Amino acid sequence: MNNGHPELNTDVLWSARLLEDDPDAIKASNRRFLESGANVISSCTYQASVDGFCKYFKATSDEAIRKIQRGVQLAHAVREEYLHDHPNLDVYPLVLGEVGPYGACRHDGSEYTGSYVNNLSSKELKDWHRPRVRALVEAGVDLLAFETIPAIEEAMMLIELLQEFPGTEALLSFTCKDGVCTCHGGSFREAFTRCMGSQQVVAIGINCTAPCHISSLLRSVQDVEHNKQLAVYPNSGEDWTCEEGWSGKGALPPLFSFVEEWLQLGARWIGGCCRVMPADIAHIRTEMHRVTRQVNSIETN
């Protein structure tokens, strides 16, 4: 999506701006990912918030809510068109309602530090997140995606908030700075174990993290008994600054080259985050199928 809108890399609303400026680009992007083998598409609301839309779109609160819900409606429309064109799919694509961390909407890089949790109470964070979560739930998402969460404290608050929406399930995914810790500095293992108790959280994972750290993070929870799906969708491995956006792509190994090891370490939902393109998803899907067929062949023999 950013390829057609390079200005989004430094935009305070990031891709959420397209909910107002170019909704057709959102639909086209979701369609490309479906055609490349993705089983989920998103609402494009990671960096959407009521106060952000009120400030930068001069919207009322009600208008801001409707703009957030537009992302879900666009995703539903794309899915229906795709299902019409592919009536014999084995997997029904899910619409994820993206809920980014508080820091993402500050546009200061604090989603990669979590520093704000030191100054905000759980109630303040919850009150800020609640209207966007409610908007997505009421719009009919299949699954909420609490993603790029840098701090255990914000994750636990989101789990508490989720209880206000009975019957709603979520993926909860952390961003990590190395092979051990979340970006705020807490242990990923501790974050994982503390989130396990929520019945509404059906998957726990890692996203917007360099691919080279994923295996170590997965190993850190290998001995933990749980009934959650493990999700990994790292970024491309490039560097990011709020002034320049993403940079540094060079001799980075392709994401699909990690897939076999991640599957062996228990990951079941594998994809990509920032700077991961539809072609990358196609390669990941092909590799997942190859590894799965290989395992099934060995078990059969």
Side-chain angles (χ1 to χ4, degrees):
M1 191 149 45
N2 287 20
N3 285 347
H5 290 271
E7 73 281 2
L8 295 179
N9 282 326
T10 55
D11 193 287
V12 67
L13 296 174
W14 198 41
S15 57
R17 179 169 291 280
L18 299 182
L19 292 168
E20 175 76 8
D21 291 357
D22 194 354
D24 285 343
I26 296 174
K27 291 186 66 177
S29 178
N30 271 330
R31 179 67 186 233
R32 285 195 296 273
F33 277 103
L34 286 174
E35 295 287 359
S36 297
N39 293 327
V40 298
I41 54 176
S42 78
S43 57
C44 199
T45 51
Y46 169 82
Q47 212 148 307
S49 66
V50 172
D51 57 347
F53 282 0
C54 289
K55 180 177 181 179
Y56 298 107
F57 287 145
K58 308 302 181 186
T60 66
S61 294
D62 287 344
E63 288 169 343
I65 292 294
R66 287 195 290 272
K67 291 181 193 300
I68 291 172
Q69 293 180 327
R70 180 184 297 173
V72 182
Q73 294 157 2
L74 292 170
H76 276 294
V78 171
R79 179 171 64 183
E80 291 309 309
E81 293 166 4
Y82 183 71
L83 290 173
H84 179 270
D85 295 340
H86 301 80
N88 299 315
L89 288 178
D90 294 331
V91 179
Y92 185 76
L94 299 179
V95 171
L96 266 61
E98 289 184 298
V99 180
Y102 175 82
C105 294
R106 296 176 66 183
H107 194 59
D108 61 359
S110 58
E111 69 264 48
Y112 299 119
T113 67
S115 58
Y116 52 88
V117 302
N118 302 327
N119 304 311
L120 293 172
S121 68
S122 176
K123 181 181 185 304
E124 288 173 314
L125 280 172
K126 194 182 297 184
D127 288 345
W128 184 84
H129 276 289
R130 184 180 290 107
R132 62 206 296 244
V133 171
R134 179 182 293 114
L136 293 168
V137 171
E138 291 180 351
V141 296
D142 297 314
L143 191 73
L144 289 171
F146 298 135
E147 56 188 7
T148 322
I149 305 302
I152 298 172
E153 293 84 350
E154 188 168 18
M156 299 312 296
M157 176 280 304
L158 287 167
I159 288 175
E160 290 179 9
L161 178 59
L162 188 59
Q163 294 173 2
E164 298 180 15
F165 303 92
T168 300
E169 295 181 329
L171 155 69
L172 204 163
S173 186
F174 293 89
T175 180
C176 297
K177 62 182 180 179
D178 54 33
V180 177
C181 294
T182 69
C183 282
H184 187 242
S187 156
F188 173 69
R189 178 186 172 91
E190 179 188 354
F192 184 90
T193 55
R194 288 184 64 181
C195 294
M196 280 173 26
S198 171
Q199 296 302 309
Q200 289 175 267
V201 173
V202 296
I204 303 173
I206 310 147
N207 79 291
C208 218
T209 296
C212 61
H213 298 321
I214 300 296
S215 293
S216 294
L217 292 162
L218 290 174
R219 288 191 189 97
S220 74
V221 298
Q222 266 207 299
D223 64 336
V224 178
E225 291 187 18
H226 63 89
N227 62 351
K228 308 299 183 185
Q229 294 290 314
L230 272 174
V232 295
Y233 51 118
N235 58 39
S236 63
E238 296 168 69
D239 297 319
W240 182 90
T241 65
C242 55
E243 294 81 17
E244 299 180 5
W246 293 96
S247 63
K249 189 164 188 176
L252 296 171
L255 275 186
F256 75 84
S257 66
F258 297 93
V259 165
E260 183 168 7
E261 182 174 43
W262 293 345
L263 286 170
Q264 291 171 349
L265 292 171
R268 291 299 175 264
W269 297 4
I270 299 178
C273 195
C274 296
R275 303 284 291 170
V276 176
M277 306 302 176
D280 299 310
I281 296 300
H283 289 310
I284 288 171
R285 184 180 177 91
T286 298
E287 183 66 2
M288 289 183 73
H289 284 173
R290 183 194 70 78
V291 174
T292 301
R293 285 196 300 270
Q294 186 179 60
V295 170
N296 289 341
S297 175
I298 292 172
E299 290 178 347
T300 300
N301 294 330

